[in-house]
Amino acid sequence: MNTDPVEMKDTSKREIVTTRLLDAPRELVWKVWTEQEHIEKWWGPIGFTTTTQEMDVRVGGHWQHTMHGPNGVDYPGEMHYQEIKMPERLVYFHGGGKGAPAEVEFTSVVTFEDVDGKTLLTMRMIFVSAEELERVQIKYHAIEGAKQNIGRLAEYVVHIQ
């Protein structure tokens, strides 16, 4: 029986789920998701760049970064790592950057499943309520942004093999 509180609750009405089969081994996909030198090269929707202020991938650690939008707007963010099961699962809380209020808060559960040498990646973004998910979708186009983010990851891992 799974005793993880995130897994035990029905979150279907307040989550975005993005799944994609990546043409790269799981260990590589894990590496490019958890190492600063790689994640800065693909993180964010199309047209965005990302700068990392600090990255400490361990339970209790965090990743403080700024996404720079193509419109010139900066979006600070900070991920707080809650669970790390290398190379299978990452759970982190996404909030505002250091000194910045959180415009968007959610918990992410990212799984990396080996499928015949490729990686089935599933990213679940779990919001506090269905209303918050709707607000984020309307204001930030979160579903399309998540798809673009994983699309950029898929392109990146193919090119570094």
Side-chain angles (χ1 to χ4, degrees):
M1 179 174 162
N2 189 338
T3 58
D4 181 346
V6 170
E7 298 298 327
M8 292 177 65
K9 296 177 185 173
D10 178 10
T11 59
S12 59
K13 292 184 179 9
R14 57 186 178 96
E15 71 181 1
I16 296 170
V17 180
T18 306
T19 302
R20 184 156 178 169
L21 184 63
L22 305 174
D23 192 14
R26 176 168 69 168
E27 289 73 17
L28 177 62
V29 176
W30 176 272
K31 178 179 179 173
V32 302
W33 195 291
T34 59
E35 292 183 6
Q36 179 179 339
E37 69 182 271
H38 293 290
I39 201 165
E40 288 183 333
K41 294 178 181 166
W42 64 267
W43 186 264
I46 294 169
F48 281 70
T49 60
T50 298
T51 304
T52 295
Q53 290 78 43
E54 185 177 352
M55 188 171 200
D56 180 13
V57 182
R58 63 177 174 81
V59 173
H62 69 277
W63 174 35
Q64 182 183 335
H65 65 281
T66 304
M67 290 193 322
H68 310 284
N71 58 358
V73 176
D74 286 343
Y75 301 90
E78 189 164 1
M79 316 306 201
H80 296 272
Y81 297 103
Q82 299 171 327
E83 180 185 338
I84 298 173
K85 186 175 181 186
M86 185 175 136
E88 300 171 18
R89 179 178 161 103
L90 276 175
V91 179
Y92 54 84
F93 177 77
H94 175 280
K98 196 174 266 185
E103 275 287 316
V104 179
E105 294 183 339
F106 56 88
T107 297
S108 270
V109 178
V110 185
T111 57
F112 306 77
E113 182 181 340
D114 178 54
V115 179
D116 298 324
K118 297 182 180 186
T119 305
L120 180 61
L121 182 107
T122 302
M123 180 175 69
R124 295 174 56 215
M125 300 164 59
I126 305 165
F127 295 84
V128 68
S129 66
E131 294 77 19
E132 178 61 5
L133 168 59
E134 182 179 12
R135 181 191 74 82
V136 170
Q137 171 55 20
I138 291 168
K139 186 170 183 177
Y140 297 105
H141 309 284
I143 295 170
E144 183 58 29
K147 288 178 185 176
Q148 289 180 17
N149 196 31
I150 300 308
R152 289 184 66 197
L153 168 63
E155 291 174 12
Y156 181 75
V157 295
V158 166
H159 287 94
I160 65 166
Q161 293 188 67

